[in-house]
Amino acid sequence: MAEPRKSAQQAGPRRAGEKPHDHDACIDTAIARARTLCDERAVQLTPLREKVLQIVWRSHKPVGAYQVLDELARTHKAARPPTVYRALDFLIAEGLIHKIESLNAYLGCGEAGVAHTSQFLICRACGTAEEIVDPKLDQALDAAAKRARFTVERKVVEIAGLCGRCAG
Amino acid sequence: MAEPRKSAQQAGPRRAGEKPHDHDACIDTAIARARTLCDERAVQLTPLREKVLQIVWRSHKPVGAYQVLDELARTHKAARPPTVYRALDFLIAEGLIHKIESLNAYLGCGEAGVAHTSQFLICRACGTAEEIVDPKLDQALDAAAKRARFTVERKVVEIAGLCGRCAG
DNA sequence: GGGCGAATGATACAATATAACTTTGGGCCT
DNA sequence: AGGCCCAAAGTTATATTGTATCATTCGCCC
């Protein structure tokens, strides 16, 4: 059911001098990877879940659950809050999306299937959130926790401010 | 109006071998510091705001806005959600409390009046949240942002897991 | 063809947060 | 004293985010 999409409504991250971001390809890659991963793990990426994943991936801006619901309801009349939250919970459990706690919103994971910690740079001007993987930062988090004799289970790192394009 | 409190309902952080945490003194210190700071800044720590600050400080567990409301309403019949949210907003603006984004809850700031970044260790077993100040971690955050040409305005660092006492 | 379990449907509601307008009360000016 | 201003708090209503619970569907396996 991978019908062609209309061109993406939101451009992705791009800095001056870089070439335009092909967001359709970006989504396609993410969906393809999700299918592969779910297949390997013998979990079901149902049409509903895949549709929700597509909606989350429509932009690089974190999207609220009720925005997802509105979008989903266009083609899926039965959609209700639990429909969306269940799909989001599944996608989070499988590491296909992240929740941005400081925004109560959700973002496609660019590193699905790869062991990684999630750190986010959230621009207050353009609304995009960039997922970064910074081993030094991650080590610093672990070191800080260890110093406090704390056993880490989950790390939430969200840096808000201005991205290079919006500041520059 | 600093009437004596009943003994604190929640003990604070304490490790095996440490002496008991005198939470009443802990609150007193926080309130006294808050008064001094607000005085210096010529902002009003009104009785209502101070009461909310006391309620947040009753434990070292992050407390939800509606928990604050319930507690406040015991002695302040007119209390409504905006009453609480306005007080919390003020206290956050003055750096007297922090919001824990991953819990939608609020915690007294142990470093009020001192320039610092906030990092939290949140125990899922006992519910306490410890505020730590780790310059290396902070530097790592700044470095990661700089590498991505990102201008930092706010940092949210919340590590969830098990504290030393609950894990040990 | 019956039973099981995962996924989804459907209804209701809980928890968190804000908008917008009104009232109060203290400081200050004349 | 009287009037004005402004910050704080009161008041009512509503928006936003998230869950609980039970019913239904559907594929799979025996």
Side-chain angles (χ1 to χ4, degrees):
Chain A
M1 205 144 284
E3 77 283 354
R5 278 162 273 81
K6 319 82 196 156
S7 185
Q9 56 186 130
Q10 303 295 351
R14 171 157 65 106
R15 297 217 183 81
E18 291 183 8
K19 51 183 184 325
H21 173 70
D22 181 350
H23 194 63
D24 283 353
C26 188
I27 299 181
D28 289 342
T29 304
I31 299 293
R33 181 175 294 178
R35 284 182 178 149
T36 303
L37 286 169
C38 289
D39 204 53
E40 287 172 6
R41 296 171 183 168
V43 296
Q44 305 179 52
L45 186 63
T46 61
L48 179 60
R49 289 165 173 174
E50 184 174 315
K51 181 71 184 169
V52 169
L53 182 58
Q54 290 226 7
I55 291 169
V56 172
W57 265 108
R58 288 225 171 126
S59 80
H60 288 277
K61 303 182 187 187
V63 56
Y66 280 71
Q67 285 178 261
V68 173
L69 177 55
D70 288 347
E71 194 58 36
L72 182 62
R74 292 171 176 273
T75 59
H76 188 93
K77 299 297 185 191
R80 297 285 180 277
T83 315
V84 168
Y85 281 102
R86 285 194 287 232
L88 292 172
D89 287 348
F90 169 85
L91 296 170
I92 289 170
E94 296 302 325
L96 300 173
I97 65 173
H98 295 290
K99 179 171 186 181
I100 306 299
E101 296 289 349
S102 58
L103 299 176
N104 294 320
Y106 305 83
L107 181 71
C109 173
E111 309 285 334
V114 180
H116 71 290
T117 66
S118 307
Q119 302 137 11
F120 301 96
L121 302 175
I122 306 160
C123 180
R124 70 166 158 79
C126 64
T128 64
E130 183 182 357
E131 181 175 0
I132 60 175
V133 175
D134 188 314
K136 281 200 175 167
L137 173 49
D138 196 46
Q139 285 166 23
L141 288 162
D142 288 336
K146 187 168 189 181
R147 220 165 291 145
R149 294 173 180 72
F150 192 92
T151 307
V152 176
E153 290 176 352
R154 183 169 174 239
K155 297 166 190 163
V156 173
V157 178
E158 299 171 10
I159 301 177
L162 287 176
C163 71
R165 265 170 306 144
C166 291
Chain B
M1 206 147 287
E3 78 284 351
R5 278 161 274 79
K6 316 87 198 156
S7 184
Q9 55 186 133
Q10 303 295 350
R14 171 157 64 105
R15 295 213 184 80
E18 289 182 10
K19 52 181 184 326
H21 173 68
D22 181 351
H23 194 63
D24 283 353
C26 189
I27 298 180
D28 289 341
T29 303
I31 300 293
R33 181 173 294 177
R35 284 182 179 149
T36 303
L37 286 170
C38 289
D39 204 53
E40 287 173 6
R41 295 171 185 168
V43 296
Q44 303 179 52
L45 186 62
T46 61
L48 179 60
R49 289 165 174 176
E50 185 175 316
K51 181 71 184 171
V52 169
L53 182 57
Q54 289 227 6
I55 291 169
V56 172
W57 264 108
R58 287 225 171 125
S59 81
H60 288 277
K61 304 182 186 185
V63 56
Y66 279 71
Q67 285 177 261
V68 173
L69 177 56
D70 288 347
E71 195 57 36
L72 182 62
R74 292 170 175 273
T75 59
H76 188 95
K77 300 296 185 190
R80 298 283 181 277
T83 314
V84 168
Y85 281 102
R86 286 195 285 230
L88 292 172
D89 287 348
F90 169 85
L91 295 170
I92 290 169
E94 296 303 325
L96 301 173
I97 65 174
H98 296 291
K99 179 172 186 181
I100 306 298
E101 297 289 349
S102 59
L103 299 175
N104 294 320
Y106 305 82
L107 182 70
C109 172
E111 311 284 335
V114 181
H116 71 291
T117 65
S118 308
Q119 302 139 9
F120 302 95
L121 304 175
I122 305 160
C123 179
R124 70 166 158 79
C126 66
T128 65
E130 183 182 358
E131 181 175 0
I132 61 176
V133 175
D134 188 315
K136 281 201 175 166
L137 173 48
D138 196 48
Q139 284 166 23
L141 289 162
D142 288 335
K146 186 167 188 180
R147 220 165 290 144
R149 293 174 180 72
F150 192 90
T151 306
V152 176
E153 291 176 350
R154 182 170 174 239
K155 298 166 188 162
V156 173
V157 178
E158 299 172 9
I159 302 177
L162 288 174
C163 71
R165 267 170 306 145
C166 291

